[in-house]
Amino acid sequence: MEDEVDRLVAAWRRERPDLDVEPLEVLSRVSRLARHLDRARRLAFSEHHLEPWEFDVLTSLRRAGAPYQLSPGQLLTQTLVTSGTMTNRIDRLAKKDLVERLPDPSDRRGVLVRLTPEGRDRADQALAGLLAQERAILAELSRGQRGELAALLRRLTAPFDNIPG
């Protein structure tokens, strides 16, 4: 079965036989898959009236476990955005009654961001929709193939995820 990347690689091999274009065979497919995954995620989230960034914040809180709260700094670490961006996101989610700000009992100047019951429901529903979309994307692979692919991708991504700072 041929795909668009096969055609792209063949064209580069014809036009630039002096270059080793083998990395394109893997990474162009990863890039194309990422675009398809992004579309599937946006669809899953939009069905629950969420933007991808809203899902990221809500599910960070949901994964924290009861009482589903984190400091803004902890949310920054999990979502990889600036403090100004996070403040804006918390404000917008609070206006939608998906999160609430509470005083931090261990720091008089600090606040905690807590998931509201509505925020928890939306996060749970959007996650279920996302997983259905992702299962469909992976349907062509056996359980063993999915495990192999996960292990190989982990080898590629771990160095990026474990960079200090």
Side-chain angles (χ1 to χ4, degrees):
M1 173 176 18
E2 187 177 71
D3 68 1
E4 186 60 31
V5 175
D6 289 322
R7 292 183 283 278
L8 178 143
V9 168
W12 278 121
R13 284 188 172 136
R14 183 186 68 244
E15 294 299 316
R16 291 294 311 268
D18 58 311
L19 295 177
D20 175 11
V21 296
E22 183 185 24
L24 295 175
E25 294 188 71
V26 174
L27 299 176
S28 290
R29 285 186 174 94
V30 169
S31 177
R32 292 176 65 78
L33 183 59
R35 284 187 229 130
H36 290 296
L37 180 57
D38 185 54
R39 285 189 199 123
R41 289 178 148 223
R42 287 182 180 280
L43 176 62
F45 302 152
S46 71
E47 290 173 355
H48 301 284
H49 309 288
L50 292 174
E51 294 293 326
W53 67 264
E54 292 172 314
F55 178 82
D56 288 346
V57 174
L58 295 178
T59 55
S60 292
L61 293 165
R62 180 67 172 97
R63 287 190 311 270
Y68 311 110
Q69 66 188 26
L70 294 169
S71 70
Q74 290 169 312
L75 284 169
L76 286 174
T77 300
Q78 292 194 22
T79 60
L80 302 175
V81 297
T82 66
S83 61
T85 298
M86 182 53 66
T87 298
N88 181 274
R89 289 178 176 186
I90 293 167
D91 289 345
R92 291 169 68 185
L93 289 168
K95 284 181 186 172
K96 291 182 171 188
D97 295 321
L98 299 176
V99 302
E100 59 185 342
R101 282 187 174 93
L102 303 169
D104 184 343
S106 64
D107 178 1
R108 288 189 301 156
R109 295 178 296 152
V111 299
L112 295 172
V113 180
R114 181 183 291 169
L115 203 54
T116 64
E118 170 69 15
R120 181 179 172 186
D121 289 345
R122 295 267 285 281
D124 286 350
Q125 292 169 10
L127 177 62
L130 172 63
L131 292 172
Q133 293 279 343
E134 291 183 350
R135 268 191 290 284
I137 288 170
L138 294 171
E140 294 295 317
L141 301 177
S142 70
R143 179 180 292 268
Q145 289 170 323
R146 291 190 306 265
E148 281 180 61
L149 181 58
L152 291 169
L153 291 170
R154 183 180 303 109
R155 285 187 71 176
L156 289 177
T157 60
F160 294 102
D161 291 342
N162 295 310
I163 295 172

